[in-house]
Amino acid sequence: RVGKNMAKSPYANKVKVPHPILDLCSKNLLVMEYLEGKKLATSIEEKLSSILGGDKLIARKVLKAKQQALFESKHSGNQKKGFLKDLNDIIGEINISMSVLEKAAKARKLMAMTRDARNKLSLLLDATGHQIFNDGLYNGDPHPGNILFLECGRLGLIDYGQTRSLTKHDRLALAAVVCALGRKTIDIHEITTAMNEFGFHSRDNNEENIAKFAALYFDSDAAGKRLGYATPQKYLQHLNSIDPMVEVPDPAVFVARTSFLFRGLGALLQQQLHTSQHWKKHAKIAID
């Protein structure tokens, strides 16, 4: 069903979902057609390694530095400037004689690679948003190992062992939350009402805190970083210390997990993602 839905979606020419080999599948085993391509993280690392002269260790060091910079909320004001500084520092470590022009040439290639990867991530977010809000059927485990850059140029989405479905009520309730989060002017009461209707309930019904829970689950953990919380888990603990969430609807769990995983992919590209900004157009279509 997932493959058929994608084949008739607006993303059919850009995203590929492998067909299951039904004769080889069982209750405990899922076998799907083989897609020729490389895992997202592997592809980025190899392209970066090529730009840096074929040294994979240095490529990994650059990626780790980029992820750590975002993790610690560094360079948040000017990601491009921070990114070039990281590159300049690391290139300087391995080749102090490299000219400014040579560094600039590598930087341009690196920025082009990053731009292409971010475009693919944006496509992934859109395709998944369509699956969640239009189809009500999506992969609840889209980690980097389940996303391929195919030789044909499309994205390959594999391993649907954690396929999740949403009822019409779930889709519309979630859509209301995402639309409220995606507005230019945030209405805390609107977000809280949408969360309550979805099935979220806290001990004290602290509206401001519930709105922060909503943002953490379905948008971004940027607010936690601004408060000094190093991880989403620590920020979640902080919110629960103020007014704990006592009811969380099951359908929300894997959607939130998907949002978190996409933000992790964004961190690989030094990009602070806000999933509600990508999903709100799909949510609005579902409501309309």
Side-chain angles (χ1 to χ4, degrees):
R1 286 175 56 196
V2 176
K4 290 180 179 179
N5 287 341
M6 186 58 66
K8 62 184 181 182
S9 78
Y11 307 99
N13 295 326
K14 298 178 180 179
V15 177
K16 170 70 174 176
V17 175
H19 298 294
I21 312 300
L22 297 179
D23 291 343
L24 300 178
C25 293
S26 68
K27 182 178 180 180
N28 299 314
L29 179 66
L30 174 63
V31 181
M32 308 186 79
E33 69 172 305
Y34 179 75
L35 297 185
E36 190 69 45
K38 294 180 179 179
K39 293 180 180 179
L40 181 147
T42 300
S43 177
I44 292 174
E45 182 182 296
E46 289 182 353
K47 289 179 180 179
L48 181 56
S49 173
S50 176
I51 293 171
L52 298 179
D55 193 325
K56 288 190 176 181
L57 290 178
I58 295 299
R60 288 170 189 160
K61 185 174 182 180
V62 172
L63 291 174
K64 184 177 181 180
K66 283 157 56 65
Q67 286 178 290
Q68 189 66 24
L70 184 62
F71 184 73
E72 296 176 352
S73 298
K74 295 177 181 177
H75 313 321
S76 58
N78 189 330
Q79 290 185 355
K80 181 176 180 179
K81 181 178 179 181
F83 179 77
L84 294 178
K85 182 180 183 303
D86 291 339
L87 176 63
N88 184 71
D89 290 346
I90 292 173
I91 289 177
E93 289 180 15
I94 62 173
N95 190 348
I96 59 175
S97 64
M98 187 177 291
S99 71
V100 173
L101 289 177
E102 288 174 317
K103 289 181 180 180
K106 289 185 180 295
R108 285 194 295 270
K109 290 180 181 180
L110 189 50
M111 293 305 298
M113 181 208 77
T114 303
R115 185 166 52 249
D116 178 65
R118 286 182 177 181
N119 287 339
K120 286 185 170 62
L121 179 55
S122 181
L123 170 61
L124 175 63
L125 281 157
D126 276 336
T128 303
H130 179 83
Q131 289 179 318
I132 291 172
F133 296 101
N134 183 79
D135 302 332
L137 197 65
Y138 69 101
N139 186 357
D141 190 28
H143 63 74
N146 288 342
I147 302 163
L148 306 180
F149 286 172
L150 304 183
E151 292 185 353
C152 64
R154 290 192 289 177
L155 282 183
L157 307 184
I158 64 173
D159 191 358
Y160 276 77
Q162 288 284 5
T163 300
R164 298 289 154 171
S165 61
L166 298 170
T167 65
K168 182 178 180 180
H169 171 270
D170 296 336
R171 288 190 294 112
L172 294 179
L174 175 61
V177 174
V178 169
C179 282
L181 287 170
R183 300 194 194 287
K184 291 182 178 180
T185 302
I186 296 297
D187 184 328
I188 290 176
H189 181 68
E190 179 188 12
I191 295 173
T192 301
T193 299
M195 287 282 281
N196 290 160
E197 291 181 355
F198 194 6
F200 284 92
H201 297 284
S202 67
R203 183 190 61 200
D204 305 324
N205 199 37
N206 181 319
E207 291 198 347
E208 182 177 355
N209 209 57
I210 291 174
K212 290 177 179 178
F213 270 112
L216 175 61
Y217 289 149
F218 306 117
D219 182 56
S220 166
D221 58 328
K225 290 177 181 176
R226 287 195 296 270
L227 292 174
Y229 293 99
T231 66
Q233 291 78 10
K234 291 185 180 298
Y235 182 45
L236 179 63
Q237 291 173 2
H238 166 69
L239 295 180
N240 272 313
S241 72
I242 297 173
D243 180 19
M245 196 65 68
V246 294
E247 290 184 36
V248 176
D250 288 341
V253 174
F254 273 87
V255 177
R257 171 179 166 77
T258 299
S259 177
F260 277 107
L261 287 171
F262 286 159
R263 288 178 234 167
L265 293 176
L268 186 66
L269 302 171
Q270 201 178 353
Q271 185 178 18
Q272 180 70 64
L273 284 180
H274 291 264
T275 46
S276 71
Q277 295 301 315
H278 288 268
W279 286 350
K280 65 181 180 181
K281 61 184 176 183
H282 304 287
K284 188 175 185 303
I285 289 173
I287 292 173
D288 292 344

